[in-house]
Each structure stands twice: as C-alpha cells, then as structure tokens.
Amino acid sequence: MPLVSEGVLLFAFKYFILSNILVAIGIYVDRWAAKTIKGDNLAFVDTLVHFALGSVSWCMVICKESFVRNYRLYKELFLCGCLSSFIDIDHFLVAKSFRLRDALSLRQRPPLHCTSLLLSAILALVVLGNVLGKESARMGLLFLTSAYTHHFRDGLRRGLWIWPFGSTPPITNLYYVICSLTFPLLFNVILYSSEWKSWCGFGDRSIKSINIV
C-alpha cells in the first residue's frame, strides 16, 4: 500500500489551488478594490468579495466530492456565498434605513458582527446537527463557514468583536491566511471522518484484525 493514497493526493491538489484563489481574493483583490473603487461601487464590490470568499471556503470543505452534474453542491456554494454576504443586513436593520450612507455610519458594530455570539450560536447548531443526523451537521458547518469567512475578512480592518471582552486589534494577513486555510480543512475532516480513517489505513487494519481472528 503506498504511503499516501491517490485520494489524498487529489484532495491536496484541489485544496492547494482553492487556497491560492482564497488568498488572492481575500487579500490582493480586496486591497486593490479598496485603493481603486470608491463610493457605492465599493460597497457592491465588498458584497461580491464576501460572496466569493464564502463560496470558495465551502468549496474547500467539500472539494473531495465530485462536482460533475452534482447540482446540489453548486446550490450549497451559492447558499454559502449568499449567507456570507447577508450578514451585512444588520447594518441596515440597526440603522433602520436602506440608505447605504446610514448603514455605514453606525457608531458601533451591529449584532451579527459579534464574533463570539454568532459563531457560538452556529457551533451549537453543528453540535445539535450531529445529534439529529449527518445532513443537519452539514448545514451547520455550511452556516459556520459563511459566518467565519465574513468575520475574518472584516477582522483584517476592524479586528474581531469578542463580546464581552471587547474587540481585538486588526488581525494580521498571516493570521487571516492561517485561519482561512485551517478551518475548511478541519470541517472537511469532521464531515468526512470515515473516509479520512480509510485513507490513513485505519479501515484496513480493522479488516486485517478481523481476518486473523
């Protein structure tokens, strides 16, 4: 048996490509947009970047699945991107206005941008999903992915709001990259734990032990 299975190598290749796309969007495209685009157009691009980061991050989580005529996966990518963008709706709700100027002139950050509360609530859904079944856990991880991608990107400029302790300083690019690449891998292991056991050879060892007996 080879030291690294073909499935692991294919997964690593996909993950590497998607990781580079994520970093390019999250840091370089974002930095370029902030310097060259102004006014309402910047807000529109900001929403698109959140959508792209959410979609790419979920693609990293499920990249070991085949996308050939698997329309459910495309729907999940679209849903994760939409949810990541939708978090900014709380700006308008708190401002009680649909005017972009009002939404961006809040004195404090709106509730869905509280990292500790939002991620704790969604993490509870993931745990509950594991009790209810695999599909519920999958949706919980999708919601969690959409939330942390939005918060980490905002954290590059404003830090993370960790209630009740306050806000952190703006996170560094290195911290952003490490977290953005580690979380999807962790969620992938959670989602496909049985396949990872098989890839690592645990499944084969159990079969051999049974045959010896």
Side-chain angles (χ1 to χ4, degrees), residues 67-85:
F67 282 78
V68 179
R69 296 183 180 180
N70 195 341
Y71 300 110
R72 173 192 173 180
L73 298 186
Y74 293 109
K75 291 178 182 178
E76 288 181 357
L77 296 180
F78 182 75
L79 175 61
C80 193
C82 288
L83 289 173
S84 185
S85 301

Side-chain angles (χ1 to χ4, degrees), residues 53-55 57-62 65 72 76 79-81 83-84 119 121-130 133-149 182-193:
L53 291 176
S55 298
S57 295
W58 185 245
C59 191
M60 293 170 68
V61 175
I62 61 174
E65 297 189 34
R72 173 192 173 180
E76 288 181 357
L79 175 61
C80 193
L83 289 173
S84 185
L119 297 192
I122 299 177
L123 187 59
L125 290 177
V126 175
V127 175
L128 179 61
N130 282 318
K134 187 175 181 179
E135 288 303 311
S136 298
R138 184 185 182 101
M139 286 297 100
L141 289 173
L142 188 150
F143 275 76
L144 190 57
T145 299
S146 68
Y148 85 73
T149 56
T182 302
F183 274 56
L185 180 60
L186 174 62
F187 293 171
N188 182 280
V189 173
I190 295 174
L191 200 57
Y192 308 105
S193 57

Side-chain angles (χ1 to χ4, degrees), residues 31-160:
R31 188 179 298 170
W32 169 82
K35 291 181 178 179
T36 59
I37 302 175
K38 304 297 180 182
D40 293 350
N41 291 331
L42 180 60
F44 177 72
V45 172
D46 186 74
T47 299
L48 289 180
V49 171
H50 277 308
F51 178 91
L53 291 176
S55 298
V56 174
S57 295
W58 185 245
C59 191
M60 293 170 68
V61 175
I62 61 174
C63 67
K64 68 194 315 297
E65 297 189 34
S66 173
F67 282 78
V68 179
R69 296 183 180 180
N70 195 341
Y71 300 110
R72 173 192 173 180
L73 298 186
Y74 293 109
K75 291 178 182 178
E76 288 181 357
L77 296 180
F78 182 75
L79 175 61
C80 193
C82 288
L83 289 173
S84 185
S85 301
F86 188 75
I87 290 176
D88 278 333
I89 194 66
D90 61 353
H91 281 278
F92 298 94
L93 296 177
V94 173
K96 298 180 180 179
S97 171
F98 287 104
R99 294 177 59 188
L100 185 60
R101 180 178 299 179
D102 295 334
L104 296 178
S105 59
L106 299 176
R107 294 184 178 180
Q108 59 184 16
R109 299 166 82 172
L112 292 182
H113 287 74
C114 179
T115 302
S116 55
L117 290 182
L118 182 62
L119 297 192
S120 297
I122 299 177
L123 187 59
L125 290 177
V126 175
V127 175
L128 179 61
N130 282 318
V131 176
L132 297 177
K134 187 175 181 179
E135 288 303 311
S136 298
R138 184 185 182 101
M139 286 297 100
L141 289 173
L142 188 150
F143 275 76
L144 190 57
T145 299
S146 68
Y148 85 73
T149 56
H150 188 110
H151 281 232
F152 282 153
R153 179 177 174 243
D154 283 358
L156 284 170
R157 292 168 289 183
R158 306 181 186 91
L160 301 175

